[in-house]
Amino acid sequence: MNPPCAHIIDDDEAIRDALQWLFKTRDVACATWPSAESFLDAVQPDWRGCAVLDIRMEGMSGLECFDALRARGNQLPVVFITGHGDVPMAVAALKKGAFDFIEKPFNDSDLVDVVMRALETDAVRQRADATRETVEARLALLTAREQEVMELILAGKFNKVIADELNISMRTVEAHRSKVFEKMEVRSAVELAQLVNLVRGRPAA
Amino acid sequence: MNPPCAHIIDDDEAIRDALQWLFKTRDVACATWPSAESFLDAVQPDWRGCAVLDIRMEGMSGLECFDALRARGNQLPVVFITGHGDVPMAVAALKKGAFDFIEKPFNDSDLVDVVMRALETDAVRQRADATRETVEARLALLTAREQEVMELILAGKFNKVIADELNISMRTVEAHRSKVFEKMEVRSAVELAQLVNLVRGRPAA
DNA sequence: GGCGGCATTGCGGAAGACCACAATATTGCA
DNA sequence: TGCAATATTGTGGTCTTCCGCAATGCCGCC
């Protein structure tokens, strides 16, 4: 798996070099890209780290690059750097989920701190994604009937009640329940609830 | 309980009047305040709705007002209005949880749409808060030992295992378990898990 | 037509959870 | 000192869940 890396994307070579130098002095692994297009051409789904984007660039802008990343399902944290105060742009970017917005001139240490926090946030997200994918893979193994039974288990209902609601025998519920536990790799309904809640957010109140 | 209301906070009377008129034409209940101080003096914890704040005001600024609200635990959504592009201020406010940031001159309809979404967001938050308070009140009824037993139940463990881990008899675990279910007003471990997860966010992976 | 997967069901038994009744010991407080 | 709350435990019983063994029927596919 790729190690985490801060991707510096700026059409200004001097800026790229300066940021690369700055990050290296703080032991932050980084790569530079002269344009949004070049980065998007190269970026792989399994890359970890963050992107540091100049918001105004020749060709594709920083915001367009951000939109393109999200459109392809890439969740790398993105830190914007801009030279000109532009409130609607900053607001739009943050509301779309940009990690942070840094205005020039900036304090070098502040930028590096933001980037390091972005890298850590990405590490946490990747671990959460791995867990979610595991759970979703297991959920995908369930037949339609097993899913129905599982939902009623998660609703806290007893087997007898589930049997009544699905108009099947209690033994059938037992059989499905057993299969659900086996496929989800749990040993109790509580374990099942905790596991499924990892990928569903909070259960409905 | 107070009905939801959009609080207009601006030291410029003309702005207050204009916004009040605008909101009224769209049937948005609102109140006006000539200063952040006057609003903070009056605001009550049970108020619902949102605050529409000018960011630059005589005396206490919009950001200071926002900080003061959050400092006293008030979670009303806050929409900032500003006349001057100021990226760090906008970024700082959004990262602190401001609902939105509108720059003058703005489209009337856009502002009203944002305010209506803020009001809806507050309604959702209030319902979630009510639920959380109910659950937390029940959790507060548990003795220390009951809490210990509950944690192990939520970890999916069988009574026998819990007894071994706590060095008590299985009958004692049964007794505590029964009390936990009674106080939390649930009938099964799954219901308990779902209820507690409402206030704890996602269970640990 | 046969096969495999899935859904369904029953029987019998073991394991786990729940509960009523009953009891003792500890601790903090009035 | 007495009382109430909490913690603890046992006995006996019921209810729920789990599981092995055994079986039939439906459906889609080769």
Side-chain angles (χ1 to χ4, degrees), chain B residues 2-205:
Chain B
N2 286 293
C5 171
H7 297 275
I8 301 164
I9 304 149
D10 200 308
D11 54 3
D12 186 328
E13 187 180 2
I15 297 290
R16 296 201 302 277
D17 289 344
L19 290 179
Q20 184 172 32
W21 177 87
L22 171 61
F23 289 175
K24 283 186 167 177
T25 64
R26 295 284 297 270
D27 288 322
V28 173
C30 60
T32 62
W33 308 88
S35 68
E37 293 92 337
S38 64
F39 174 68
L40 287 169
D41 283 346
V43 70
Q44 298 298 315
D46 67 337
W47 282 11
R48 299 185 293 158
C50 70
V52 181
L53 278 172
D54 186 26
I55 206 162
R56 292 185 182 280
M57 287 186 287
E58 298 277 337
M60 183 181 271
S61 72
L63 272 181
E64 286 165 344
C65 182
F66 179 70
D67 288 341
L69 276 174
R70 294 294 186 264
R72 61 175 74 173
N74 190 302
Q75 296 296 325
L76 277 177
V78 172
V79 177
F80 282 104
I81 292 184
T82 180
H84 331 66
D86 191 329
V87 169
M89 195 176 287
V91 167
L94 283 168
K95 292 187 73 66
K96 283 177 176 177
F99 188 81
D100 212 338
F101 217 95
I102 303 291
E103 199 175 33
K104 292 170 183 166
F106 49 80
N107 177 288
D108 285 352
S109 199
D110 289 346
L111 175 62
V112 175
D113 287 348
V114 167
V115 166
M116 291 180 97
R117 282 193 284 105
L119 292 172
E120 175 53 28
T121 296
D122 195 52
V124 169
R125 179 189 61 80
Q126 292 249 1
R127 288 195 291 273
D129 282 354
T131 300
R132 190 178 59 254
E133 279 157 32
T134 295
V135 174
E136 281 170 356
R138 293 179 189 174
L139 284 167
L141 297 174
L142 301 178
T143 67
R145 199 55 149 171
E146 285 164 359
Q147 287 170 24
E148 279 190 279
V149 169
M150 183 185 73
E151 293 307 329
L152 295 172
I153 292 170
L154 293 178
K157 302 188 184 208
F158 293 2
N159 284 354
K160 182 173 169 39
V161 172
I162 295 174
D164 287 344
E165 289 191 22
L166 295 182
N167 224 9
I168 57 181
S169 86
M170 210 166 69
R171 189 66 189 83
T172 305
V173 174
E174 289 171 17
H176 287 310
R177 186 186 180 110
S178 177
K179 283 302 251 181
V180 169
F181 284 12
E182 180 190 317
K183 288 177 177 177
M184 298 303 294
E185 294 181 43
V186 299
R187 293 164 305 154
S188 69
V190 171
E191 277 193 59
L192 178 66
Q194 305 295 40
L195 195 75
V196 171
N197 285 340
L198 286 180
V199 301
R200 287 190 179 175
R202 297 184 183 192

Side-chain angles (χ1 to χ4, degrees), chain A:
Chain A
M1 184 183 282
N2 286 294
C5 169
H7 298 275
I8 301 164
I9 303 149
D10 200 309
D11 53 3
D12 188 328
E13 187 180 3
I15 296 292
R16 295 200 303 276
D17 290 345
L19 289 179
Q20 184 172 31
W21 178 87
L22 172 63
F23 289 174
K24 284 186 166 175
T25 64
R26 295 283 296 270
D27 289 323
V28 174
C30 60
T32 63
W33 308 89
S35 68
E37 293 92 338
S38 63
F39 173 68
L40 287 170
D41 282 347
V43 70
Q44 297 298 317
D46 67 337
W47 282 10
R48 298 183 295 156
C50 69
V52 182
L53 278 173
D54 185 27
I55 207 162
R56 293 185 181 280
M57 289 185 286
E58 298 277 337
M60 182 181 272
S61 73
L63 273 181
E64 287 166 344
C65 182
F66 179 70
D67 287 342
L69 276 175
R70 294 296 185 264
R72 58 175 77 173
N74 190 301
Q75 296 295 326
L76 278 177
V78 171
V79 178
F80 282 104
I81 292 183
T82 180
H84 332 66
D86 191 330
V87 169
M89 194 175 287
V91 168
L94 283 169
K95 292 187 72 70
K96 283 178 177 177
F99 187 81
D100 212 337
F101 217 95
I102 304 289
E103 199 175 32
K104 293 172 183 164
F106 49 79
N107 177 287
D108 285 351
S109 198
D110 289 346
L111 174 62
V112 173
D113 287 348
V114 166
V115 165
M116 291 181 98
R117 282 193 284 107
L119 292 173
E120 174 53 29
T121 295
D122 195 51
V124 169
R125 179 188 61 80
Q126 293 249 359
R127 289 196 290 274
D129 281 355
T131 299
R132 190 178 60 255
E133 278 157 32
T134 295
V135 174
E136 281 171 356
R138 293 179 188 175
L139 284 167
L141 297 174
L142 301 178
T143 66
R145 198 55 151 169
E146 286 162 0
Q147 287 170 25
E148 279 190 278
V149 168
M150 183 185 73
E151 293 307 330
L152 295 172
I153 292 171
L154 294 177
K157 304 187 182 209
F158 291 5
N159 283 356
K160 181 171 171 39
V161 173
I162 295 173
D164 288 345
E165 289 191 23
L166 295 182
N167 222 7
I168 57 180
S169 85
M170 209 166 70
R171 189 66 190 83
T172 304
V173 174
E174 288 171 18
H176 287 312
R177 187 184 180 110
S178 177
K179 283 302 253 180
V180 169
F181 283 13
E182 179 189 319
K183 289 177 177 177
M184 298 304 294
E185 294 180 44
V186 300
R187 293 163 304 155
S188 69
V190 172
E191 276 193 59
L192 178 67
Q194 305 295 40
L195 195 75
V196 171
N197 285 341
L198 286 179
V199 300
R200 288 187 177 176
R202 297 186 183 193

